Amino acid sequence: MVVTTVAKVKVAYVCGDCGSDFPKWQGRCDDCGAWNTLSEFRTGNVGAKKSGSQFKGYAGSLSEVQTLGDIDLTNVPRLSSGVEEFDRVLGGGMVPGSAILIGGHPGAGKSTLLLQVLCRMAKSQSALYVTGEESLQQVAMRAQRLSLPMDSLQMLSETSVEAICAVAENQHPKLIVIDSIQVVRQEDVQSAPGSVAQVRECAAYLIRYAKLTNTILILVGHVTKDGSLAGPKVLEHMIDCSVMLESSTDNRYRTLRGVKNRFGAVNEIGVFAMTEKGLREVKNPSAIFLSRATEPAAGSVVMVVWEGTRPILIELQALVDDSQFGNPRRLAVGVDQNRLSMLLAVLHRHGGIQVGDQDVFVNVVGGVKVMETSADLTQLLAIVSSLRDRPLASDLVVFGEVGLSGEIRPVPSGQERLNSAVKHGFKRAIVPQANVPKNGIKGMEIVGVSTLAAALAAVE
Ligand code: TYD
Ligand code: MG
């Protein structure tokens, strides 16, 4: 069969912020609205046209088709990093052949965390740490200062992905860290390191290597000012796990948060403290988020949020104050701002409490972000407590979702949340009626509520 191929190099313009591509250059990205972020991107030969059936002429070797049951599952052990919090966020360890992206602001502690993890792991597994940002001396000095075992970890200072993979082929490491994806480059790609084209191609190149050789690949990625990874969309679909290292407001604690995980739950968090000896695991995060003043304060309520596979107790604060200007402010830190506006409307309509002329501020202590709706009821009770300047009992926990008709809806894992609250010494709880355990919980007085009015009556 005669196959005619027309080799064409395709030129596209790719937005550096969101990764969308356009056939022509334009000043503003239509997708994310960013200005002057489009840059030229050349892809390889595309559009090879074939005569006759497109598919029958395939000349390569054909892959075998299997049913799910036939697939060999015996050799997928997870590799433990030796750091429990890190393993938990990754769903219980690292899967061979997987690509993991660790994102965070510069100075969040990504290099420190990985250096600590790798130095320990290198004793039992061969591991390669590729540093493109810091010199080998800088990394070695840090390892020495942190008293890490230094004799087994293999180090490489290199920014070319071809060279990195060639070295890796010789060394056969089980695990490779690339610090960071923004400084590596591939020879064929014209644009500068850190650009979308480079990041995309380099990541694809490295991931291909990792999949072929069953190596664990950890990529470090910096986030941009607004908190998104440079070229986030282009990496998101390629990698298996994406985790973020975020620092809290007081800069002492770092939370490692799962964003995407093909092998486990997301929204799992691991908590670390940054000390002069590097990052230290915090085994009981509730203790730091609950460092409350001894005197009960108005507007402060403790909730139990479900993070991935475990409950965490977190304090939420609200401040309600007379508004100085015509337009009262609603400010939410750590919870969704739009949801706060909605809850205030529910409070007015179904609770009969008016805050239209008040500024309302809500803050989650410790710089944690709560994405769950279980914080709804907590927010409303904190707001009411601040408005009335009446503190709630300091041994009270509150959680529950609030619906638009003023009903209190149940949240998942109610019993586990309550158990964890009891363990931390809480003696009272206001929770959705449907979350009240049938047999109660020893040592805890649980008030089940099904409407907002009932919840407000419970704190009268
Ligand atoms: P680093 O791992 O270099 O951050 P990243 O790779 O994410 O950019 O972290 C550096 C920060 O951590 C720096 O601001 C200082 C702080 N730090 C400590 O407080 N103690 C330590 O032992 C180390 C190594 C760093
Ligand atoms: Mg670094």
Side-chain angles (χ1 to χ4, degrees), residues 9-231:
V9 175
K10 190 184 164 199
V11 177
Y13 292 87
V14 181
C15 169
D17 275 5
C18 70
S20 316
D21 48 34
F22 302 91
K24 279 205 185 110
W25 190 87
Q26 54 197 54
R28 182 165 182 263
C29 170
D30 284 342
D31 267 0
C32 68
W35 287 93
N36 203 18
T37 51
L38 261 55
S39 53
E40 191 176 298
F41 180 66
R42 283 167 189 272
T43 51
N45 293 350
V46 289
K49 285 207 180 114
K50 293 175 182 171
S51 59
S53 164
Q54 276 201 27
F55 308 112
K56 281 201 183 120
Y58 179 65
S61 63
L62 293 179
S63 310
E64 193 191 336
V65 178
Q66 290 175 301
T67 62
L68 280 174
D70 293 341
I71 297 167
D72 182 17
L73 289 178
T74 44
N75 57 353
V76 281
R78 287 173 182 250
L79 214 60
S80 164
S81 67
V83 179
E84 215 179 282
E85 299 282 305
F86 189 68
D87 281 350
R88 204 208 353 264
V89 174
L90 294 176
M94 292 173 267
V95 179
S98 66
I100 300 162
L101 176 71
I102 298 202
H105 288 281
K110 303 178 292 295
S111 308
T112 310
L113 176 66
L114 289 175
L115 188 65
Q116 285 180 254
V117 167
L118 259 79
C119 279
R120 298 215 183 94
M121 283 185 83
K123 283 202 269 182
S124 52
Q125 313 284 347
S126 54
L128 177 67
Y129 190 110
V130 182
T131 167
E133 290 191 348
E134 294 167 82
S135 69
L136 294 174
Q137 284 84 356
Q138 281 173 313
V139 181
M141 270 162 58
R142 181 183 306 178
Q144 192 181 40
R145 202 169 55 71
L146 301 181
S147 331
L148 295 171
M150 293 172 67
D151 38 8
S152 334
L153 181 60
Q154 293 171 320
M155 297 291 309
L156 173 69
S157 174
E158 180 59 71
T159 55
S160 150
V161 283
E162 286 93 346
I164 294 170
C165 291
V167 171
E169 285 237 86
N170 288 333
Q171 303 281 334
H172 300 297
K174 274 250 169 60
L175 199 139
I176 306 179
V177 168
I178 308 288
D179 190 358
S180 69
I181 188 70
Q182 268 105 5
V183 296
V184 290
R185 72 198 145 75
Q186 201 195 345
E187 244 93 278
D188 299 345
V189 182
Q190 304 296 321
S191 27
S195 63
V196 171
Q198 278 288 8
V199 168
R200 170 147 81 183
E201 291 302 304
C202 291
Y205 195 97
L206 291 163
I207 291 170
R208 213 174 313 131
Y209 171 83
K211 300 273 176 221
L212 281 175
T213 56
N214 223 18
T215 312
I216 298 168
L217 175 71
I218 302 184
L219 302 173
V220 173
H222 293 291
V223 297
T224 52
K225 271 185 290 214
D226 60 358
S228 58
L229 274 160

Side-chain angles (χ1 to χ4, degrees), residues 281-412:
E281 289 175 81
V282 176
K283 291 268 161 73
N284 178 11
S286 297
I288 58 167
F289 299 128
L290 282 181
S291 46
R292 301 225 282 172
T294 38
E295 286 287 298
S300 156
V301 184
V302 173
M303 62 185 161
V304 193
V305 295
W306 194 258
E307 282 286 355
T309 55
R310 64 172 172 180
I312 293 185
L313 281 89
I314 297 179
E315 182 184 349
L316 185 135
Q317 292 182 313
L319 178 69
V320 180
D321 189 21
D322 288 338
S323 179
Q324 299 299 320
F325 311 102
N327 199 4
R329 302 219 288 156
R330 274 90 182 79
L331 194 76
V333 181
V335 284
D336 184 12
Q337 179 107 21
N338 290 332
R339 202 153 179 99
L340 172 63
S341 308
M342 192 186 91
L343 290 172
L344 291 176
V346 176
L347 184 65
H348 181 213
R349 247 332 268 285
H350 301 285
I353 295 176
Q354 169 72 282
V355 287
D357 54 350
Q358 308 275 328
D359 288 337
V360 178
F361 305 96
V362 173
N363 175 40
V364 181
V365 174
V368 197
K369 285 195 192 76
V370 179
M371 268 91 113
E372 268 198 327
T373 50
S374 69
D376 290 355
L377 186 59
T378 324
Q379 289 185 56
L380 285 186
L381 294 191
I383 289 165
V384 171
S385 158
S386 173
L387 179 71
R388 294 178 174 158
D389 199 17
R390 209 184 297 156
L392 296 177
S394 56
D395 57 358
L396 172 77
V397 289
V398 179
F399 59 84
E401 178 176 337
V402 175
L404 282 185
S405 51
E407 80 277 22
I408 309 293
R409 295 166 170 268
V411 297

